[in-house]
Amino acid sequence: MTKRGTILEWAIERIFKAKTGILFFGAILILVGTELRIDYPLAGYSLTFVGLVTDWGIVYLVYREISQIRDEVEQTKYEIEDARSELEDTRSLAEEAEEKAGTWR
């Protein structure tokens, strides 16, 4: 693997670990907020709300990234299909040129 590929893989893994950590932090806030709701309602509901917003924020970011990857895959698929059709057109033109060259002899 190239140095660039290794660095990219390391960065992706690091971002994944950071998002996982933030998800766990949000879950802990939700649990602590649930426990505090009885004795300290304002603090409990506030922590629960912050935890929910944190977790849903990460879920939204991951959804957006997946949608972007899906769009890139579809775009690449269309580019491949265009290249194949262009190759077929070039192949047919080459065959026609070969036939013309054969009739001139």
Side-chain angles (χ1 to χ4, degrees):
M1 184 177 282
T2 64
K3 184 176 181 180
R4 182 175 183 219
T6 305
I7 291 172
L8 185 61
E9 184 178 316
W10 174 79
I12 290 171
E13 185 176 321
R14 185 172 173 186
I15 290 170
F16 175 75
K17 288 179 182 177
K19 288 178 185 172
T20 303
I22 293 170
L23 278 174
F24 278 119
F25 177 72
I28 289 170
L29 284 178
I30 292 169
L31 289 173
V32 170
T34 302
E35 289 296 320
L36 289 177
R37 265 192 243 161
I38 297 169
D39 297 330
Y40 307 99
L42 183 62
Y45 283 111
S46 298
L47 285 177
T48 301
F49 179 74
V50 169
L52 288 171
V53 168
T54 302
D55 281 354
W56 279 106
I58 293 295
V59 168
Y60 174 72
L61 284 176
V62 170
Y63 173 77
R64 230 177 57 195
E65 289 173 1
I66 289 172
S67 296
Q68 183 180 3
I69 290 170
R70 184 181 312 126
D71 292 342
E72 289 174 3
V73 166
E74 288 179 8
Q75 179 65 27
T76 304
K77 189 167 86 174
Y78 291 135
E79 289 173 3
I80 290 171
E81 289 174 1
D82 288 343
R84 282 185 181 158
S85 66
E86 189 174 317
L87 177 65
E88 289 296 322
D89 292 344
T90 305
R91 187 175 288 153
S92 66
L93 286 174
E95 289 172 358
E96 288 176 14
E98 185 179 354
E99 289 173 7
K100 286 181 183 179
T103 58
W104 287 347
R105 290 183 183 179

